[in-house]
Amino acid sequence: MAESVERLQQRVQELERELAQERSRRLSGSGDVGGGRARIEKMSPEVVDSNPYSRLMALKRMGIVSNYEKIRTFAVAIVGVGGVGSVTAEMLTRCGIGKLLLFDYDKVELANMNRLFFQPHQAGLSKVQAAEHTLRNINPDVLFEVHNYNITTVENFQHFMDRISNGGLEEGKPVDLVLSCVDNFEARMTINTACNELGQTWMESGVSENAVSGHIQLIIPGESACFACAPPLVVAANIDEKTLKREGVCAASLPTTMGVVAGILVQNVLKFLLNFGTVSFYLGYNAMQDFFPTMSMKPNPQCDDRNCRKQQEEYKKKVASLPKQEVIQEEEEIIHEDNEWGIELVSEVSEEELKNSSGPVPDLPEGITVAYTIPKKQEDSVTEVTVEDSGESLEDLMAKMKNM
Amino acid sequence: MAESVERLQQRVQELERELAQERSRRLSGSGDVGGGRARIEKMSPEVVDSNPYSRLMALKRMGIVSNYEKIRTFAVAIVGVGGVGSVTAEMLTRCGIGKLLLFDYDKVELANMNRLFFQPHQAGLSKVQAAEHTLRNINPDVLFEVHNYNITTVENFQHFMDRISNGGLEEGKPVDLVLSCVDNFEARMTINTACNELGQTWMESGVSENAVSGHIQLIIPGESACFACAPPLVVAANIDEKTLKREGVCAASLPTTMGVVAGILVQNVLKFLLNFGTVSFYLGYNAMQDFFPTMSMKPNPQCDDRNCRKQQEEYKKKVASLPKQEVIQEEEEIIHEDNEWGIELVSEVSEEELKNSSGPVPDLPEGITVAYTIPKKQEDSVTEVTVEDSGESLEDLMAKMKNM
């Protein structure tokens, strides 16, 4: 009898343990509750229903990519795991990227359910934790490193810089690419500062507050314009960010626009890492008219960021040291980039809207306007520079700013 | 002591029951294991973290959509719940569409994991069943009707026609839109036949076999070219579909391209249903060069589909009965559509590739080529019509075909 009680007590303990495990799997916020697939040592091109890489390895047979399996050797950092960042992370995970580093300090809310990826039962969890669970289940071959903090604080910035420099696939090596999927000016400027200092190539992405336009941008420090050289450009309504922070006011968003921006961002990442197609320096998306402007921008020699200016000097030296043939090729490529398809940019932003912008506004091609403006400081009001219809160049404006 | 044993036995039973429940919730194949949100009677614009519609209703405040909540009054049928269809369904679900009807006869496989939406633990389940579980959990306000069958068989075709005609939000009313997200010629032709007969507006979508281009197309029977008027056009490699069915050969696919195509498709659906922006009749996506051609095509007066010709007659009568002012406006709109942005189409398909195509090839603008060709019959070989560099129009070719 005593034995029986002991056995029953053991059984109760066992069951309680199992139940707790089941519950934690279910409530882990992942929605992905086991039953996932086993790890795969080597990517195979074999065409069987059980091979999750068959359709990707087929890119080799189709003549698109010569070395698809190289995807496993890359580490990509994603800052911001919201509407664009989460889908970006999922696409790279499904493509079999080597390692993902995710940075976000926000929590999942039901108000995020109008965009892809997160599910209602994850509400309240940290975005990076919820994302890691889901992504690990989708592809256990990918390595994940997540950081639940705000990169813009001094302390976290140092750690962020350290992980960009050392968090590569092999610890101690830098990551291969940083992707900015954040929704505010300060975080973009922070990523820009870090990447200029480290000479780290990165890609910017953004969606307008009215949800119907977005863009991606490739920034190679010293070679293309950085975020401080000029506010990034996009065909978008020009609303000061601060207006979005007011109580009871929030930006609109759509799963469509964010899905398209994540799609063109990760496509650019794949082309950049696996060396196929034309990598875009800038690609915009105007959903109202199905208009996709492309362009490229040279860095500003008077950029406020001294590390940008330093990178520009180094890039100049590098180009000067190349055999002449290669330099010419490079120039041609840039021209090619500029207006390959003869696409004309057409204005959709009124002069009035442009006047209402704050911060330095560069001399832009017709129809291109700034997506982000520098938020006005609230206490010590900085004198505002607005451009009405002047022919002033970016350099003139920057010089003016410096003399204030 | 006896009491204690009984209590323990009861406790074991209780725990076993709870564990079984937890397991069944976990293994229901949904990945969405409860913990979802409650239903919401009325869409609210209130800006609180718990409101899943706040960012969508903000489209009204931003001046983009005048009547966002009208989304709940629409029913959309999606044929094909694969790489494009599943993401399309998820986007519409998150946007709060009234009702979705899903048609597919395929099962989820690990080989699908390189695209968004399905998860490894769903392998083996029917696509429509797995999708319904996930989507219901994401948004319990949407009504779902799923059909696990192939629409191209005679019997299922009748049922499909019936559901298009009667499966609207209110039973007995037609759906508002049909979306084709299938991956083969036969299924597209079947949808085309049904929609021509019913006068049902639909949208086509497709991704090329090499995974780096795709398109969407709006077909309004009688008003724009149907799928039988001319093979739909896309800037894509021109590979005969039959070659894809060979043992050991499969098409490549990417989550990026499919995500972009689903994004532009659903964006077009939202613009069409909620009446904002410019609805595209055709939008292509060339991922290699980040090139997005747009165009529109008039129906072929000699289309093989007699219901298409009938719809054309009815459309002509409708236009003729309109006051003159409106007719002119319509004409202007079409011109506007044609080359609004002055985008030039540039060829990326060689003459050689075009020669290898089968089926009637229309007289296309330079740089536009056919995405789908009519599969060659294997037993009774139909004489093949190929276009080399002739100036023959589509009508000439169709007439030739008829005289064979």
Side-chain angles (χ1 to χ4, degrees), chain A residues 45-56:
Chain A
E46 199 191 354
V47 181
V48 287
D49 286 344
S50 58
N51 179 8
Y53 297 121
S54 60
R55 303 307 186 95
L56 295 165

Side-chain angles (χ1 to χ4, degrees), chain B residues 8-72:
Chain B
L8 280 167
Q9 281 170 336
Q10 262 179 9
R11 179 74 186 132
V12 166
Q13 277 177 9
E14 246 173 55
L15 284 167
E16 279 173 345
R17 210 165 33 234
E18 280 182 58
L19 189 60
Q21 273 172 7
E22 285 289 335
R23 285 205 172 125
S24 82
R25 282 161 96 175
R26 183 164 71 78
L27 299 173
S28 64
S30 56
D32 44 283
V33 277
R37 68 169 174 85
R39 284 191 159 194
I40 291 171
E41 274 308 304
K42 193 172 177 295
M43 276 190 179
S44 147
E46 200 193 352
V47 180
V48 287
D49 287 344
S50 58
N51 179 7
Y53 297 122
S54 60
R55 303 309 186 95
L56 295 165
M57 292 293 275
L59 289 164
K60 293 171 69 172
R61 200 170 43 243
M62 295 278 172
I64 302 297
V65 182
S66 63
N67 54 351
Y68 190 82
E69 54 273 52
K70 214 184 159 198
I71 191 92
R72 285 195 148 181

Side-chain angles (χ1 to χ4, degrees), chain B residues 302-330:
Chain B
Q302 284 150 46
C303 180
D304 271 344
D305 187 324
R306 68 173 180 85
N307 283 310
C308 173
R309 299 195 307 272
K310 205 178 112 197
Q311 298 287 352
Q312 290 180 47
E313 289 309 311
E314 280 173 24
Y315 177 70
K316 266 186 211 154
K317 276 183 215 155
K318 197 184 110 191
V319 170
S321 73
L322 290 175
K324 201 153 185 210
Q325 188 58 33
E326 286 184 41
V327 177
I328 289 165
Q329 248 184 355
E330 176 125 12

Side-chain angles (χ1 to χ4, degrees), chain A residues 101-312:
Chain A
L101 297 88
L102 307 179
F103 297 83
D104 205 309
Y105 64 98
D106 217 358
K107 280 191 162 28
V108 179
E109 306 287 359
L110 283 183
N112 306 140
M113 293 307 136
N114 68 319
R115 285 150 276 176
L116 298 178
F117 193 74
F118 292 114
Q119 299 206 1
H121 68 273
Q122 297 177 313
L125 293 170
S126 85
K127 285 185 176 172
V128 292
Q129 188 202 341
E132 185 187 5
H133 275 278
T134 304
L135 297 173
R136 256 187 214 287
N137 187 62
I138 290 172
N139 190 344
D141 299 330
V142 178
L143 297 174
F144 295 95
E145 177 182 316
V146 306
H147 299 286
N148 187 19
Y149 62 58
N150 181 348
I151 63 160
T152 67
T153 69
V154 176
E155 193 185 340
N156 293 335
F157 180 71
Q158 283 311 316
H159 192 263
F160 173 65
M161 289 269 289
D162 176 66
R163 295 319 298 153
I164 298 307
S165 313
N166 297 302
L169 194 64
E170 190 187 326
E171 182 62 26
K173 293 271 168 72
V175 302
D176 296 284
L177 204 56
V178 174
L179 305 180
S180 164
C181 302
V182 298
D183 63 354
N184 65 86
F185 179 85
E186 198 186 357
R188 283 186 176 89
M189 213 50 165
T190 304
I191 298 166
N192 189 64
T193 302
C195 292
N196 274 338
E197 185 170 337
L198 301 171
Q200 172 67 55
T201 297
W202 62 293
M203 290 187 199
E204 213 300 271
S205 71
V207 171
S208 67
E209 296 85 352
N210 65 6
V212 288
S213 62
H215 73 280
I216 63 158
Q217 187 175 359
L218 165 64
I219 299 169
I220 306 177
E223 188 176 337
S224 59
C226 87
F227 193 81
C229 284
L233 314 171
V234 70
V235 180
N238 192 16
I239 298 165
D240 190 287
E241 261 192 33
K242 287 276 156 159
T243 63
L244 298 174
K245 311 289 176 188
R246 283 178 304 176
E247 192 64 26
V249 174
C250 78
S253 59
L254 281 166
T256 47
T257 308
M258 290 193 157
V260 170
V261 170
I264 59 176
L265 176 66
V266 179
Q267 201 82 281
N268 219 36
V269 170
L270 295 176
K271 291 194 281 183
F272 178 83
L273 294 177
L274 298 174
N275 196 28
F276 68 97
T278 304
V279 178
S280 284
F281 274 95
Y282 177 95
L283 174 59
Y285 169 41
N286 172 327
M288 295 296 269
Q289 274 115 355
D290 286 335
F291 171 48
F292 298 79
T294 57
M295 53 172 285
S296 68
M297 254 180 85
K298 295 238 166 74
N300 173 9
Q302 284 150 46
C303 180
D304 270 345
D305 187 323
R306 69 173 178 85
N307 284 309
C308 174
R309 299 195 307 272
K310 205 178 113 196
Q311 298 288 351
Q312 290 181 48

Side-chain angles (χ1 to χ4, degrees), chain A residues 51-62 64-65 68 91 94-96 267 270 274 276, chain B residues 82-84 109-116 127 183 206-213 244 249-259 287:
Chain A
N51 179 8
Y53 297 121
S54 60
R55 303 307 186 95
L56 295 165
M57 292 292 276
L59 289 164
K60 293 171 70 172
R61 200 170 45 244
M62 295 279 172
I64 302 296
V65 182
Y68 190 82
M91 286 176 173
R94 291 183 183 267
C95 283
Q267 201 82 281
L270 295 176
L274 298 174
F276 68 97
Chain B
V84 173
E109 305 288 357
L110 283 183
N112 306 140
M113 293 306 135
N114 68 320
R115 285 150 276 176
L116 298 179
K127 285 185 177 173
D183 63 355
V207 172
S208 66
E209 296 83 353
N210 64 7
V212 289
S213 62
L244 299 174
V249 174
C250 80
S253 58
L254 280 166
T256 46
T257 308
M258 291 193 155

